[in-house]
């Protein structure tokens, strides 16, 4: 009766039964009567229906059809009409299926920053290993292009060079007179930073939420440590500021770190909380209690003063967190 009224009734009759029709369609979904629900939603998404009713019916139909609506979902996700986009974002959280996951991934790759972050959040919440992997990868953007110092500033004449797609600090032929830092031209607050590092007879570090010290080559702020001798791997140091060191049991690190090769480093900053990971193992979980300590700043790559040595950095990428 409701379906016939939606399809054949006068505008006044149709308007009177929209509410009962929506309630009936929802009941059909709860009772597993999918065909009846789809038929009611099809009538409710008629162009003659109020916009909010039509969009709600489209969203419910996509949820019921799942993967079969993946292409339609993609079109609504990038719609220039904000209500249509919001409808799709609400619907997708209840749409299972591999085709839907693939649509989310493909849409996120070309989306604007706001939509991209939202889709990454949706992907990370899906019970699907492919979605989880995609969420991890989609959120990251490179900080180093492997060929130039674009986006970085520092002593690129004597202290830093690019070799084999990596940033190299120092030299194995000459002593290093003082600490030098190659720093990003942009500042970052909450983020996940990933890169690979290698130390050759060196003590190195990755600065973050840091700032240049005026009139000096030094940088002040947090530093994630590493070195060639297994003394400071995975530690958190407060460079040129408080001298605080959050130490890590280096006996544990011996089975985690390759002292002669490349190692994965990850730095996560979320509000006052800082976490460090080396080769997938968490080494530090620190919460800053001093509200005066800045929660944003540059990212810097260190070459430490001392005898001839080199610190290598590559595959540098960051995901800023909202």
């Amino acid at each position: 009766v409701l379906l016939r009224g939606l399809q054949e009734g006068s505008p006044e009759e149709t308007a009177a039964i929209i509410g009962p029709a929506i309630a009936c369609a929802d009941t059909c979904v709860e009772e597993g009567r999918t065909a009846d629900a789809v038929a009611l939603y099809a009538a409710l998404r008629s162009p003659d229906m109020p916009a909010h009713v039509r969009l709600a019916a489209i969203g419910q139909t996509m949820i019921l059809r799942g993967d079969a609506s993946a292409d339609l979902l993609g079109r609504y996700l990038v719609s220039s009409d904000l209500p249509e986009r919001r409808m799709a974002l609400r619907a997708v959280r209840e749409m299972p299926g591999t085709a839907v996951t693939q649509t989310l991934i493909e849409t996120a790759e070309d989306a604007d920053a706001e939509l991209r972050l939202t889709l990454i959040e949706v992907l990370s919440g899906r019970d699907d290993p492919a979605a989880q992997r995609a969420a991890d990868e989609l959120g990251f953007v490179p900080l180093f292009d492997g060929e130039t110092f674009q986006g970085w500033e520092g002593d690129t004449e004597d202290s830093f060079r690019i070799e084999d797609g990596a940033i190299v600090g120092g030299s194995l032929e000459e002593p290093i007179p003082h600490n030098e830092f190659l720093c990003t031209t942009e500042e970052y607050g909450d983020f996940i930073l990933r890169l690979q590092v290698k130390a050759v007879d060196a003590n190195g570090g990755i600065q973050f939420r840091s700032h240049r010290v005026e009139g000096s080559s030094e940088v002040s702020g947090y530093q994630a440590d590493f070195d060639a001798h297994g003394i400071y791997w995975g530690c958190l140091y407060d460079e040129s500021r408080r001298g605080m060191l959050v130490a890590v049991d280096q006996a544990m690190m011996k089975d985690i770190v390759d002292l002669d090769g490349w190692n994965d480093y990850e730095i996560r900053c979320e509000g006052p909380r800082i976490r460090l990971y080396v080769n997938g193992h968490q080494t530090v979980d620190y919460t800053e209690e001093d509200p005066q300590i800045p929660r944003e700043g540059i990212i810097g790559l260190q070459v430490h003063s001392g005898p001839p040595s080199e610190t290598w950095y590559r595959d540098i990428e960051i995901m800023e967190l909202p």
Side-chain angles (χ1 to χ4, degrees), residues 103-116:
T103 291
L104 289 171
I105 294 170
E106 293 173 356
T107 303
E109 287 174 345
D110 298 322
D112 58 57
E114 182 178 359
L115 178 59
R116 185 185 181 97

Side-chain angles (χ1 to χ4, degrees), residues 264-305:
D264 296 326
Y265 223 128
E266 182 174 299
I267 300 167
R268 295 182 178 226
C269 293
E270 297 173 90
R273 189 180 185 188
I274 295 170
R275 284 173 284 176
L276 305 183
Y277 300 81
V278 176
N279 292 331
H281 296 266
Q282 182 174 295
T283 62
V284 167
D285 189 344
Y286 171 75
T287 299
E288 181 59 68
E289 297 181 354
D290 186 347
Q292 301 303 312
I293 297 297
R295 291 187 183 176
E296 64 178 9
I298 54 88
I299 291 165
L301 311 178
Q302 183 193 48
V303 54
H304 203 283
S305 62

Side-chain angles (χ1 to χ4, degrees), residues 53-64:
V53 173
R54 183 177 59 81
L55 286 178
I58 291 172
Q60 290 299 322
T61 301
M62 290 197 300
I63 291 171
L64 289 173

Side-chain angles (χ1 to χ4, degrees), residues 155 158-160 169-181 200-203 302-311:
D155 180 12
D158 299 317
S159 299
F160 293 94
S171 167
L172 297 180
E173 299 177 356
E174 299 288 340
I176 301 166
H178 48 73
N179 290 354
E180 286 283 355
F181 298 85
V200 183
D201 294 330
N203 173 14
Q302 183 193 48
V303 54
H304 203 283
S305 62
S309 64
E310 291 179 340
T311 49

Side-chain angles (χ1 to χ4, degrees), residues 12 19 124 219 259:
E12 293 77 14
S124 66
V219 166
L259 293 178

Side-chain angles (χ1 to χ4, degrees), residues 68-132:
S69 293
D71 289 342
L72 181 63
L73 171 70
R75 291 197 292 273
Y76 277 114
L77 284 172
V78 296
S79 172
S80 59
D81 183 82
L82 187 57
E84 289 185 347
R85 182 184 287 199
R86 287 174 175 166
M87 174 275 294
L89 288 171
R90 286 193 298 269
V92 75
R93 298 178 189 276
E94 301 180 50
M95 294 175 66
T98 55
V100 171
T101 294
Q102 187 59 36
T103 291
L104 289 171
I105 294 170
E106 293 173 356
T107 303
E109 287 174 345
D110 298 322
D112 58 57
E114 182 178 359
L115 178 59
R116 185 185 181 97
L117 283 173
T118 302
L119 294 179
I120 289 168
E121 177 193 350
V122 173
L123 283 165
S124 66
R126 292 178 75 82
D127 186 18
D128 180 341
Q132 297 286 338

Side-chain angles (χ1 to χ4, degrees), residues 2 11 51 66 105 177 208 233 237 263 318:
L2 288 170
I105 294 170
F208 57 98
W233 266 101
Y237 179 59
N263 294 271
I318 194 168

